[in-house]
């Protein structure tokens, strides 16, 4: 994506270093950082400087390529394990580390090329998701005229996906085609990826939007034409895991008759998860809930729960927008395994 006069991916590889936009600094500072070894990559992922399923996957792919250049096979195996453990929910991460490791293990010279291939494929997938998804950006009949209003949650834009995005890609493509689009951006407590990252991406692209509190989704839902969110992992039965709060939006959308779409590359499909109950849900530190901008906002005797993701059952999902087409949740297994 273009930022100012330059084009950026959110993660890239240069001179055997993993370069990335530090997502914890946005929207006020645009800082590019480097990771020189896998420990630094793991730290960037854990602290969410690199975040979003596909961007984490890209960091994992480059992390393996870098490890092949820096050490022997045991070093690469240690790197692989540490990268895979850095965040447990995003399936793209192990998809990436396995792909690069298995293609490069007998010919480590090829590791960087394989990682680039994997990441370029991620970007291609996101573009295709946009091409398929833009057709869904249309008014619900009862909503009359004016801009098509899309509600999204968290950030599944280009920051989260190297380029284009998953949930934002159809919006970018529709905007490129001259469609009048407006986005409700739900803020996404506790890390505020909606308010801090999605809103910044949309401002940068000149797309109309407004930030709403997470708890305001039901209030606005009757005005929404469609919901599009991303996904970190898709189970065989079409259940999906995405940022905490996604499930609530899906339930409200169903109640209001608003189509609820999940935009995701098939790299998020996990054949080992029969249903959403098998998806590992990351539990993050309670301090993210108890403190805002470094200041405690809760009684010192109160604790907090902080699941980073929730599972939306297939029955709440209208369709999954993938690089292979728009798929009913019940068909995702067939599309990912046989096509
Ligand atoms: O905890 P995060 O910010 O990494 O969570 C990100 C999301 O939930 C995204 O919607 C998901 O990773 C899809 S990004 C292509």
């Amino acid at each position: 994506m273009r930022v100012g006069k330059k084009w950026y991916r959110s993660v890239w590889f240069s001179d055997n270093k993993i370069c990335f936009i530090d997502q914890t600094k946005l929207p006020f500072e645009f800082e590019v950082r480097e990771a020189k070894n896998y420990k630094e990559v793991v730290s960037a992922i854990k602290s969410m400087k690199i975040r979003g399923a596909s961007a984490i996957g890209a960091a994992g792919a480059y992390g393996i390529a870098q490890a092949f250049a820096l050490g022997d096979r045991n070093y690469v195996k240690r790197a692989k394990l540490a990268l895979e453990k850095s965040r447990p929910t995003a399936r793209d991460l192990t998809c990436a580390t396995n792909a690069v490791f298995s293609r490069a293990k007998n010919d480590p010279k090829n590791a960087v090329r394989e990682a680039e291939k994997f990441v370029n494929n991620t970007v291609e997938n996101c573009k295709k998701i946009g091409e398929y998804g833009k057709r869904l950006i249309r008014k619900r009949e009862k909503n009359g005229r004016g801009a098509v209003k899309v509600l999204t949650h968290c950030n599944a834009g280009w920051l989260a996906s190297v380029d284009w995005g998953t949930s934002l890609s159809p919006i970018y493509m529709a905007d490129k085609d001259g469609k009048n689009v407006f986005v409700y951006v739900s803020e996404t407590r506790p890390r505020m990826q909606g308010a801090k990252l999605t809103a910044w991406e949309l401002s940068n692209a000149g797309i109309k939007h407004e930030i709403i509190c997470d708890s305001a989704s039901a209030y606005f839902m009757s005005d929404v034409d469609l919901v599009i969110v991303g996904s970190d992992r898709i189970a065989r039965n079409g259940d999906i895991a995405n940022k905490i709060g996604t499930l609530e939006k899906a339930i409200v959308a169903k109640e209001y008759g608003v189509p609820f779409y999940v935009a995701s590359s098939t790299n998020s499909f996990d054949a080992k998860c029969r249903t959403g109950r098998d998806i590992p849900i990351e539990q993050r530190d309670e301090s993210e809930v108890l403190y805002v901008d470094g200041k405690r906002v809760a009684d010192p005797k109160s604790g907090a729960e902080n699941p980073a993701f929730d599972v939306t059952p297939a029955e709440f999902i209208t369709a999954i927008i993938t690089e292979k087409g728009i798929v009913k949740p019940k068909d995702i297994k067939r599309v990912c395994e046989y096509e």
Side-chain angles (χ1 to χ4, degrees):
M1 263 310 152
R2 195 182 163 124
V3 182
K5 290 199 171 103
K6 273 180 84 174
W7 291 84
Y8 287 92
R9 287 183 167 188
S10 59
V11 184
W12 66 98
F13 199 65
S14 172
D15 207 10
N16 214 35
K17 291 185 201 79
I18 293 146
C19 309
F20 57 91
I21 297 166
D22 182 345
Q23 298 192 40
T24 60
K25 297 283 185 198
L26 288 166
F28 299 116
E29 287 164 58
F30 186 85
E31 222 176 274
V32 172
R33 288 174 169 265
E34 292 174 351
K36 294 183 285 307
N37 54 54
Y38 79 85
K39 288 187 180 154
E40 291 184 7
V41 186
V42 166
S43 153
I45 294 174
K46 281 190 171 164
S47 58
M48 294 178 70
K49 293 181 173 70
I50 303 173
R51 55 145 293 283
S54 320
I56 295 172
Y62 290 139
I64 296 292
Q66 185 187 54
F68 270 117
L70 293 180
D72 61 10
R73 183 106 162 209
N74 281 336
Y75 177 84
V76 180
K77 282 189 175 159
R78 276 203 305 282
K80 184 169 182 291
L81 211 65
L83 286 163
E84 288 167 358
K85 276 184 12 202
S86 61
R87 288 196 79 191
T89 304
R91 166 69 185 150
D92 302 52
L93 180 55
T94 40
C95 181
T97 51
N98 284 335
V100 178
F101 183 77
S102 65
R103 290 177 207 157
K105 65 177 186 249
N106 295 325
D107 193 3
K109 285 193 307 303
N110 274 337
V112 174
R113 208 180 60 203
E114 291 302 336
E116 289 296 6
K117 236 200 285 182
F118 183 91
V119 175
N120 288 337
N121 185 256
T122 296
V123 173
E124 269 315 297
N125 288 351
C126 287
K127 253 177 117 169
K128 287 184 192 152
I129 287 168
E131 292 291 347
Y132 284 117
K134 71 180 182 184
R135 301 173 204 164
L136 303 169
I137 310 250
R138 53 179 181 243
K139 299 283 307 171
R140 279 198 300 152
E141 236 162 67
K142 61 189 284 196
N143 273 5
R145 295 153 75 90
V148 184
K149 291 182 179 154
V150 186
L151 186 144
T152 190
H153 186 51
C154 194
N155 172 264
W158 68 272
L159 290 167
S161 319
V162 185
D163 210 349
W164 289 103
T166 54
S167 71
L168 294 194
S169 185
I171 295 168
Y172 288 135
M173 293 283 183
D175 176 70
K176 227 160 66 108
D177 286 357
K179 254 200 190 149
N180 186 6
V181 193
F182 171 89
V183 187
Y184 283 116
V185 177
S186 90
E187 60 180 350
T188 321
R189 273 276 287 160
R191 301 280 309 203
M192 310 298 274
Q193 294 93 324
K196 290 185 174 174
L197 305 177
T198 298
W200 176 80
E201 278 198 34
L202 294 172
S203 292
N204 184 56
I207 295 174
K208 286 178 289 188
H209 63 279
E210 213 108 54
I211 297 162
I212 60 169
C213 295
D214 293 329
S215 45
S217 303
Y219 178 89
F220 285 106
M221 197 55 84
S222 57
D223 191 42
V224 169
D225 291 296
L226 67 155
V227 179
I228 317 182
V229 297
S231 164
D232 281 74
R233 200 177 287 238
I234 306 173
R236 293 170 71 82
N237 70 340
D239 293 352
I240 67 106
N242 192 51
K243 179 53 53 194
I244 191 78
T246 302
L247 170 62
E248 238 173 63
K249 284 165 179 55
I251 294 169
V252 175
K254 190 164 187 190
E255 184 65 26
Y256 278 79
V258 175
F260 183 92
Y261 295 106
V262 173
S264 179
S265 132
T266 56
N267 285 343
S268 299
F269 176 74
D270 187 352
K272 291 204 186 94
C273 292
R274 206 172 56 78
T275 75
R277 277 197 293 275
D278 302 319
I279 298 177
I281 299 294
E282 176 186 7
Q283 305 292 325
R284 293 187 64 86
D285 198 274
E286 66 171 12
S287 61
E288 291 183 345
V289 177
L290 298 173
Y291 290 77
V292 173
D293 288 336
K295 190 169 179 293
R296 189 165 177 115
V297 290
D299 185 277
K301 292 188 288 305
S302 301
E305 296 284 341
N306 189 14
F309 301 94
D310 59 26
V311 170
T312 300
E315 66 195 269
F316 293 99
I317 300 167
T318 308
I320 304 177
I321 312 166
T322 75
E323 75 280 8
K324 299 183 179 183
I326 298 167
V327 180
K328 288 276 170 211
K330 70 175 173 41
D331 295 327
I332 194 71
K333 178 166 63 93
R334 178 178 54 74
V335 168
C336 293
E337 289 182 340
Y338 305 116
E339 284 178 11

